[in-house]
């Protein structure tokens, strides 16, 4: 089954404790992206990657890191989480063969709470 | 990236046709128009995409006038399960994606 998986689905952590949220897709998609969703603010893009070893900042990249060493994986790293990073996070992927990349497939989400 | 404007919320009765309009006055020549649906605590789901005129699939229709400065998502005969947030996106290619806050559609029995 074609899908985007994220782990963990729920995470409660403390300020400053480094964490990684994994994202994997099995559709051989070039484009992958991370979003956060907060009440009243909609979905905001954190980082995106157009292919292996190619990443770029979205609208809200501060406090986050990403890497794209393999086509299928795109982990989101919070080196020193803070309470304002408490949010619902989504990973997404899409084909990008020269056409529009907007048919994105989203993962189930990771609900992160930083205390 | 073209900025989009859409209503924050809409209500509709079951069985009615719902039209959600999105304004995108500064759409670029290469930009596509894409709509997503999102249920609470789930990731958005692609609904439909178009460049000009009309596009129809099994879920919805997308109407785009000749000047492409707006677009209308049409949902035929909505049911309670269509209650969701609907996002209009404009753009294409390898670039940053902006979802905005979308239109919250409430279907009333």
């Amino acid at each position: 089954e074609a899908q985007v998986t994220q782990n963990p689905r729920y995470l409660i952590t403390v300020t400053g404790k480094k964490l990684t949220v994994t994202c994997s897709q099995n559709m051989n998609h070039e484009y992958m992206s991370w979003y956060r969703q907060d009440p009243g603010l909609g979905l905001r893009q954190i980082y995106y990657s157009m292919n292996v070893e190619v990443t770029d900042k979205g609208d809200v990249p501060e406090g986050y890191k990403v890497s794209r060493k393999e086509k299928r994986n795109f982990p989101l790293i919070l080196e020193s989480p803070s309470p304002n990073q408490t949010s619902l996070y989504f990973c997404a992927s899409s084909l990008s063969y020269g056409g529009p990349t907007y048919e994105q497939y989203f993962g189930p989400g990771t609900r992160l709470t930083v205390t | 990236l073209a900025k989009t404007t859409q209503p924050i919320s809409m209500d509709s009765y079951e069985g009615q046709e719902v039209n959600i309009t999105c304004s995108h006055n500064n759409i670029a020549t290469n930009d596509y128009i894409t709509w997503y649906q999102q249920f609470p605590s789930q990731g958005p789901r692609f609904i439909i995409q178009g460049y000009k005129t009309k596009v129809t699939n099994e879920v919805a229709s997308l109407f785009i006038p000749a000047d492409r400065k707006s677009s209308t998502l049409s949902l035929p005969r909505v049911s309670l399960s269509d209650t969701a947030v609907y996002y209009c996106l404009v753009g294409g290619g390898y670039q940053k994606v902006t979802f905005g806050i979308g239109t919250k559609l409430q279907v009333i029995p």
Side-chain angles (χ1 to χ4, degrees):
Chain A
E1 179 192 354
Q3 61 182 348
V4 177
T5 57
Q6 294 177 228
N7 282 293
R9 294 289 313 280
Y10 303 90
L11 178 60
I12 300 174
T13 189
V14 296
T15 298
K17 186 176 180 183
K18 180 180 178 179
L19 67 91
T20 299
V21 183
T22 65
C23 173
S24 183
Q25 50 93 5
N26 62 2
M27 296 169 279
N28 202 36
H29 285 168
E30 291 93 350
Y31 186 97
M32 296 186 74
S33 182
W34 277 102
Y35 299 86
R36 61 177 289 174
Q37 187 165 38
D38 304 288
L41 296 177
L43 273 157
R44 295 179 293 168
Q45 192 176 40
I46 304 171
Y47 270 97
Y48 63 98
S49 169
M50 295 174 285
N51 215 323
V52 174
E53 303 292 1
V54 181
T55 63
D56 207 346
K57 297 177 181 178
D59 289 319
V60 289
E62 296 77 21
Y64 304 94
K65 284 176 57 176
V66 293
S67 68
R68 186 93 181 272
K69 299 190 187 312
E70 304 167 283
K71 198 173 188 179
R72 62 182 294 127
N73 296 324
F74 191 44
L76 179 70
I77 303 157
L78 285 71
E79 295 269 4
S80 182
S82 63
N84 64 11
Q85 292 178 298
T86 291
S87 187
L88 179 59
Y89 291 87
F90 290 103
C91 179
S93 73
S94 73
L95 281 171
S96 55
Y97 41 85
T101 58
Y102 276 14
E103 186 172 350
Q104 293 190 37
Y105 294 80
F106 281 77
T110 294
R111 190 168 292 280
L112 172 66
T113 302
V114 183
T115 61
Chain B
L1 291 175
K3 178 179 164 60
T4 60
T5 303
Q6 50 183 124
I8 293 174
S9 65
M10 295 179 69
D11 292 338
S12 176
Y13 287 102
E14 268 193 298
Q16 291 191 326
E17 178 184 75
V18 170
N19 296 308
I20 306 174
T21 296
C22 179
S23 296
H24 28 80
N25 290 317
N26 58 341
I27 187 169
T29 302
N30 295 332
D31 285 345
Y32 280 72
I33 299 154
T34 310
W35 286 81
Y36 280 83
Q37 175 192 57
Q38 186 182 27
F39 299 113
S41 297
Q42 294 185 25
R45 182 176 73 102
F46 172 88
I47 301 175
I48 197 166
Q49 183 179 79
Y51 183 81
K52 62 180 179 180
T53 64
K54 177 183 174 183
V55 179
T56 299
N57 61 23
E58 64 277 5
V59 176
S61 295
L62 178 59
F63 298 93
I64 306 168
D67 66 5
R68 302 197 334 120
K69 292 184 184 301
S70 68
S71 58
T72 300
L73 174 72
S74 181
L75 304 172
R77 299 179 298 281
V78 294
S79 64
L80 295 176
S81 62
D82 292 316
T83 293
V85 177
Y86 293 82
Y87 298 94
C88 166
L89 282 71
V90 173
Y94 307 92
Q95 59 182 275
K96 201 162 61 167
V97 174
T98 300
F99 267 82
I101 62 172
T103 297
K104 188 171 184 178
L105 172 65
Q106 180 68 53
V107 179
I108 306 164

